[in-house]
Amino acid sequence: MVSRRNPSSDSVRLPRGAIASPAMTRFEPIATLDEVERYLLAELPSSSATVVSGGVGRRRAAILLSLLGNPQNGIRTVHIAGTAGKGSVSTFVTAVLRAHGFRVGTYLSPHVHSLLERFQLDGAHAPVRDVAAALNAVRHKEIELSRGPLGAVTMFEAATAAAFQLFRDRGVDYAVIETGLGGWHDATNTVTRQDKLAVLTAIGLDHTELLGATLPEIARQKAGILPQDGSAIALRCGPAIDEIVAAEALHRGCRLDAPHPDDLAATLPDLGLGLPGRHQRINAGLAIRAAQHLADRDGWRLDPDRAAGGLREARLPGRFERRRWRGHPLVLDGAHNPMKLAALAEAVQQEWPRRAPVWVLTIKSGKDLPAIMDMVAPAAAMVVATEFGTVGTNHKPLPAEEIAAAARRAGVRVATEPRLAEALGWAVELSEPDVPVIVTGSFHAVADAGMIAAPVNA
């Protein structure tokens, strides 16, 4: 793709912040996946702590969407936040709505193997041409806004605006929107129509440097998506969280349905799910609760058989994703905090009872390593400590030696290999033939492993 400010005979290269008339700046249109990736991942800045904590990003996103004609307010929307499970709930809600014949646009983050995972139509990646068209519309407005006093539009803000633009262009019946980080200050929290349905999944400690160091602080951020005079479904997570969510709902005049996790899991006792684990039964139950609300509100009937079929077919990259490498089974999962790793460990133990797999583990710097190892140790025969690649990311992995030391302190056998491909090789050699290697600790690790490991049906 030609640079956004191509120094040719009919365009002028200008630094960000410079003033230019529309006639001075022309664009080569975004058309290919490479150009989509270059625009979002190279031309635009990533989000920062000040964007999240100060709410600047949400204000910028709201202005950007207003310049596009507020596409987010033309679509019936399910808005999903939480510490764990929001991607799975988004996927399950999408699957149930699709099973009932609705056209669904789904916005997910982060992506794992392809940037197009963020932009979905009817449960599949949106065509590149459609994503590119939405981004071309966004880019012209983004340049204008980025010159203003609020500063440069970030990748996530532009992607969020493009998703809403795409869904309006394609005339979806429902948009299912996953928050990026937090809720209140998130760029997705720009839907102002009263009938937005907010859904809160499991809430725990994560991203504490941005969202707050305590559960009430984090719960308050997540509850920021509750609509004024609207409706919300919030999973019960314990008194410290439930009281904050209930208070926020009361303050906003928002009708709150707060189901208990055990009640949700019990509603699907014998139903096969596309995503395994008890935690996914809770997530699927939450999705059914959301779909029932939409059916009651919008005048259609939730069919149990169609819903069950949708839940069976649900798939999500990087969540218990089955692959093979050198003929050996792998499970790739982006679990990266104690809550998510506890759920993954439980699912592994349910799938392979009395068989402890080898885990290939890499963790981003700044995570609670002792708590993470407490979750992994009971389900691991051995940990191969490694590091994810840093190309294309500003995140740093913990040194493999630190992960190995924590595993030893937890009483787990350890091997150390900083190179992920070599770590996989060790793990496969040390594993039982029919027990998968678990690759986890970071979505970056999942992406790296996904580049060399084949899908199970390949």
Side-chain angles (χ1 to χ4, degrees), residues 30 70 81 179 224 294 338 367 430 448 457:
I30 298 169
N70 286 314
T179 57
L294 298 177
K367 296 291 183 178
L430 295 165
D448 289 349
N457 57 352

Side-chain angles (χ1 to χ4, degrees), residues 101-388:
F102 293 109
R103 189 113 207 253
V104 186
T106 311
Y107 180 55
L108 301 174
S109 65
H111 65 277
V112 182
H113 307 300
S114 168
L115 187 62
L116 294 181
E117 293 166 15
R118 293 175 180 261
F119 310 95
Q120 302 205 4
L121 292 170
D122 294 330
H125 299 176
V128 172
R129 64 179 181 274
D130 292 345
V131 175
L135 283 171
N136 281 317
V138 167
R139 184 168 60 154
H140 285 76
K141 303 302 182 182
E142 171 264 310
I143 290 291
E144 176 185 342
L145 177 58
S146 290
R147 296 185 185 119
L150 291 179
V153 171
T154 68
M155 174 269 183
F156 186 73
E157 295 153 21
T160 299
F164 283 121
Q165 178 77 20
L166 168 67
F167 299 157
R168 180 176 67 178
D169 289 346
R170 293 300 296 267
V172 302
D173 299 305
Y174 291 98
V176 179
I177 307 296
E178 178 185 358
T179 57
L181 184 62
W184 171 234
H185 295 310
D186 196 71
T188 62
N189 197 25
T190 44
V191 179
T192 58
R193 54 187 288 164
Q194 186 177 321
D195 67 351
K196 179 187 84 170
L197 175 62
V199 179
L200 299 184
T201 68
I203 295 174
L205 292 174
D206 198 20
H207 300 294
T208 53
E209 73 282 6
L210 301 178
L211 302 180
T214 67
L215 288 174
E217 288 177 298
I218 292 175
R220 192 169 288 108
Q221 284 287 334
K222 306 292 184 182
I225 73 166
L226 270 57
Q228 186 72 37
D229 299 320
S231 297
I233 303 170
L235 187 69
R236 291 188 193 175
C237 299
I241 293 170
D242 298 345
E243 291 173 7
I244 293 295
V245 174
E248 192 63 33
L250 182 63
H251 175 69
R252 295 168 182 243
C254 179
R255 295 172 295 279
L256 183 65
D257 177 15
H260 193 279
D262 291 342
D263 294 336
L264 292 176
T267 62
L268 306 169
D270 302 315
L271 184 61
L273 301 177
L275 302 172
R278 180 183 180 277
H279 65 295
Q280 295 296 8
R281 293 193 175 278
I282 296 169
N283 291 332
L286 201 53
I288 291 292
R289 199 83 157 220
Q292 185 64 67
H293 172 90
L294 298 177
D296 294 342
R297 185 193 72 191
D298 298 337
W300 52 274
R301 177 180 171 271
L302 182 66
D303 183 283
D305 292 335
R306 290 187 179 187
L311 295 176
R312 281 194 299 270
E313 297 300 317
R315 300 290 187 276
L316 184 60
R319 279 74 161 187
F320 220 90
E321 181 180 351
R322 298 175 190 265
R323 296 263 181 150
R324 296 192 72 84
W325 189 64
R326 296 181 179 175
H328 193 88
L330 309 178
V331 169
L332 311 185
D333 196 291
H336 56 267
N337 62 41
M339 176 182 285
K340 293 181 179 182
L341 283 159
L344 173 60
E346 182 182 29
V348 167
Q349 290 171 317
Q350 289 172 348
E351 289 283 306
W352 297 279
R354 299 179 296 280
R355 308 284 295 279
V358 175
W359 290 51
V360 173
L361 189 61
T362 175
I363 304 292
K364 189 178 77 171
S365 179
K367 296 291 183 178
D368 187 347
L369 185 55
I372 284 173
M373 206 56 66
D374 286 344
M375 301 300 106
V376 171
M382 182 177 188
V383 165
V384 181
T386 188
E387 299 170 17
F388 58 78

Side-chain angles (χ1 to χ4, degrees), residues 399-410:
E401 292 80 4
E402 287 190 29
I403 298 171
R408 289 189 192 97
R409 287 192 294 270

